[in-house]
Every structure is written in C-alpha cells, then in structure tokens.
Amino acid sequence: MLERVGNRITSAVERILALGLILAILLDFTNVVGRYTGGFSVLGIDEVEIYILICIAFIGSAAVTWRRQHLRMDVFIEACPVRVRRFVKFFEMAVMLAITAFVGAQSYAYVSKIFALGSVSDIAGVPMWIPHSAVCLGFFGMALIVLVRAAQRFWAPERAEGEAGEPVKGEVRS
Amino acid sequence: MSIALGVLPIALLFLGFPIFLVLLTAVTVALVFLMHLPLAALHQNLFGSINAYALLAIPYFIYAGELMGRGSVAKRLVDFVQAGVGSVRGSLGVTTVGTATIFGAISGVSAAAVATIGKVMYPSMVRAGYPTSFSAGLITAIGAIDIIIPPSIPMIVYGAAAQESVPRLYAAGIVPGLLLALVIGGYVIVRAWWGGFGKGEPFDGARFATATLRGLWALGAPAIILGGIYGGVFSPTEAAAVACVYAALVTRFVFRELTLDEIVEAAVATVRFTAQILIIVSCAGVFAWILTVNQVPATLVAWIQHLEVSPWQFLLVVNILLLLTGCFLDPLSSILLLTPLLIPIARSLGIDTVHFGIVFMVNLAIGLFHPPFGINIFVAQSVLGIDLKQIYKGIVPFVILYLLVLVAITYVPQISLIGVRLFMG
C-alpha cells in the first residue's frame, strides 16, 4: 500500500518536472528563434530555465531516493556477507536521515530569511524563495523517504528486504 | 580536518553510500564540528553550485539523445555508414565503429550507444561469421568513444568543475575521438583480414544515395549541434535545446515513431538521470569550496612542487589513478571528486586544462569498459545476452588500443589542442 502510494506520488512529481524540462527547452528555443527571426529575446528566460534545473536537481533527487537509484560505488559492499550489508544499510539510513534532515533545516532557515526580505531575481523578478525552496523540499523529501523506508523495514522486514533491503544498483549511464 | 575531508568520505565511499551523501556528510561534519563558518554557507553553496546556465546543457543533451535513441535513428545511421564502407574487409565492424562515432555526436551517453548500436549490429556481425567475443568486445569498447566526441556530458561536468570553456573542450575532443575511431577501425580491418571473415559487399552508388536520404534527418542532429556551436550561431546550451526540438519534431512528425506520451516519457527518464548527476554536482561544489577554504589544493600544489615532479611524471600518475578510479566509479563522480584536487596541480605544472580534460575523458572512457566492473560490459551483457567471459575475452585488444591512444594523447598535447585552434581560432 505504502509502496503503491509512494510510487504514484513519485511518478507525479517526475512528470511535473519532465513538463518543466520541456517548458525550459521551449523557452530557450523561443529565444534562439526570436533572436534570428524577429530580432528579439525575452529577458529573464535564462533565469527561469536555471530555476527549473534547480528544481529538477533537488526535488528530482527525492524521487531518485524513492526509486533507490542514487549513484554509488557498491562493488565492495555487494561482495560482503548479507549480515554486514544489512548492518551497513541501517547505518546508511541513519546517516542519510540525520544529514538530509539537518541540511533541510538549514535550507528552511535560509528560505525563511529571503522570504522575509522579499528578494527577487535580477531580471525575471522571480521571488527568490521559490527556487531556494527546492533545496529545502528536496532534502526534507529525502529525509521523509528514509523514514518511510525505515518504517517499511520495521513493520514488514521480509518485504522490505526484497524491495528495499539492499541498495539497488544506480542507473549509471555515461 | 583530514579525517573529515579524507578518511570519512573514502570510508563511506567503500561502504557503498550514495556519492552525494558521502560528500554531504564530509561537508556537514567539517562545517558543524571543525569550522567556524555560518551554516547558511551550506545552503548557499548547494544552490550556487548548480545556479549556472552552462549546466542546462546536461539535461538538454541527454533529452536529445533519449529522443533520437528511441526510434530508428541507429538503424538509419548503420545503413548510411554500411553503404559508404562498401567492400572493405570487416565492413560490419567498421560500420559499427563509424555508427558509434556519429551516434556519439548526437547522444554523448556511452551506455545508450552500446545498447542502441549493439542491438542492431551484434546479430548481423554474428550472422556474417564474426567471432562472438570479437563482436561483443568491439561493441562494448566502441561505445566509450561517446564521452570523448562532442557533445559529451562528462565534458560539461568537467568544464564546470575546472572552470574551463565547454566549446573549447568539445573542439579538443574531436581529433582524439576520430583518432580512436581510426585506430579501432584499422584494427578491425586487420583482424578481419587475418581471421578471414567479414567480406563486405561492393560499393553501390544507388544504395548509398538511398541510405544517405534515409539517414539525412538523423545526420542533421550533429550538424545542428556542432555547426551551430562552431558557426557562432548558438551557445552549447542553446544548441542542445535546438537539438531537442529537432529530435522531437523528427521522431514525431518525420519518422512518425514517437507518440506525445513517449516524448514526455523520454523527458521523465531525462529528469531521473539529471537529478542523479546534479545532486552530486551540487554536493561536490560544496566539498570543493570546503577544500579551497581549508587550502587543501594549495597544500597539494606546494607538496608536488617540493617533490619537483615533472609534468610527464604527474600525467603518468594521473593516468594510473584515473584508470583505477574508472574501474570502480562512474565518470561523472570521478570527475567531480578528483577535478578540484588535480586541476590546481596541473595548472601549477603548466599543463593546459583543456588537454588535461581530454586525458581525463580518455581515461574514464577506458574505465567504462575495463574489466571487471566497466558499466558498458554489463550493458552489453544485458543487451547482447552473452556470457561475461566472452565479453572479457573480446575486450582485451580494445583496452590495449585505447591505452596506446591514451599515451599518444597524454604526451602529445597537440592532438587535443589542434581542434581548439581549428574550430576556435
């Protein structure tokens, strides 16, 4: 049940980010076409594109965490006995929860400050708390996912072992 | 500090932690327990590391490759190259090399080239009597050329990490990429002649014309990307965006192969891959900043100067280090972890950072198919459905060829820099 809900939310987030990516590409393309055909370029498009990229990076990372596709060097740990791997996995989850929650909290403090200041981007006038929130959302999202995974392991360890027990090899494409 | 920035990340890396977490843990420990800096710097650097227009080229080029790789582009390119190769001995092998080279100028994602070209070429090669291990080895190895030939995703990441111009790096990658293709193509011809297999069909002008017409739309993508950048029409990011629109229009309306939903699906795959990369870029940016604040690169430079290491000795050590790293880590992570440390030393020894970038790429390209863990080996195993031993056996001569070219590229900087002079003036 939890797995299905998580998958649905992740797919929805990925789809929204994918549409954002397509929008960014179309904005860039419009600027190129405008420059060579109409002699115009829309100011501030670059900024908007970069903010979409930042959302893809941080919010997308939470989706990658759910799908267990983060890049890692797991050749040595994969060669270890199951008991060692299980212990390392718990250790990794504890570290990930602590670090992502800490970074999320730091980001939240920063976002609150610039929200209060009301700062906007130089050209497009985008309120800066919006792109900065992506960092905060991404890290809190990752922390939440680690908690959910931990709960899965606690309530249904056999199932979690199969689904989330060992690190799934990252989708390394270079 | 050396424990936080040296021992801790290496230990976590070997424990198989996600690479972004390795970097972020080291950074957080250093910032919270050992340094007296405001913690807001953590967020600022995470955000600032990817707040760069040049990095937009990463998802755009990945997306263009995703779109072009999902249709019949590879088959069209194969037909075009094969028709042009004619009766040369080992013509199918040479076609594989040529197609991978052109595909590299579209995609820049090595594993995609192995999968896409392998699916088309491997059955044909085996049917034509090419040894299984040779065919598998060739397909596994030739895909790695994609990270040397522009547009290359690792080059964009290196450009960001080393603060080097991406168009200059792209220009520098052209000649080494073609040199590798020539050397491997030459080896294929000699090996086919020696083994008595792979007799090609005579050149047929009409067939070549038909194949060229069919392949014209696919060939348009590299023409737009490279012509646009070096013709001064677009920046690399704009060229990537135009290539995406071109790829979407061609696969949707000309080839009539992708539905709108599949175009969005390709964007979803791009988002996943981009997030995997950029979270590491972001954390590596903070890690590099911490290293700089603690004067780690400067200390390393002073140490190297004290040892009176010559540039050739340094490059030799770098080659060994990168070959070892490439066996265990993916190229992008290797670049992000090592560039902040190696670049200041390379600069202090007077090594051109563009040339150094190409040396970096060739080393990491070898790591992509070097036994035992090169990722292309596993891609080939999955796509071609053959035994790992056959692939390992087939790869050996190609590892040697790549190493020979690596030596040439390392110690003859002109091989890399001639492209910069030709294309950038």
Side-chain angles (χ1 to χ4, degrees), chain A residues 54-55 58-59 107 111-112 114-115 128-139, chain B residues 43 47:
Chain A
I54 287 166
C55 290
F58 291 105
I59 300 173
S107 283
V111 172
S112 304
I114 56 169
F115 180 76
M128 286 309 289
W129 66 269
I130 297 175
H132 279 276
S133 297
V135 183
C136 179
L137 277 175
F139 281 103
Chain B
H43 172 97
F47 187 88

Side-chain angles (χ1 to χ4, degrees), chain A residues 15 36 49 69 132 173-174, chain B residues 43 60 110 233 273 276:
Chain A
R15 235 178 154 72
Y36 287 107
E49 284 179 70
Q69 285 181 337
H132 279 276
R173 302 186 304 170
S174 297
Chain B
H43 172 97
Y60 293 1
S110 173
V233 185
F273 188 34
Q276 281 179 324

Side-chain angles (χ1 to χ4, degrees), chain B residues 229-302:
Chain B
I229 294 172
Y230 297 110
V233 185
F234 319 125
S235 67
T237 305
E238 287 174 341
V242 173
C244 287
V245 175
Y246 177 84
L249 292 177
V250 166
T251 49
R252 174 81 183 92
F253 296 109
V254 181
F255 297 164
R256 294 174 190 277
E257 287 167 343
L258 295 191
T259 61
L260 277 177
D261 208 41
E262 283 168 326
I263 288 173
V264 177
E265 270 312 308
V268 169
T270 305
V271 161
R272 277 185 208 142
F273 188 34
T274 305
Q276 281 179 324
I277 299 169
L278 288 185
I279 190 69
I280 303 177
V281 172
S282 172
C283 296
V286 196
F287 189 73
W289 173 73
I290 296 269
L291 289 179
T292 310
V293 169
N294 286 288
Q295 299 190 316
V296 176
T299 312
L300 272 177
V301 169

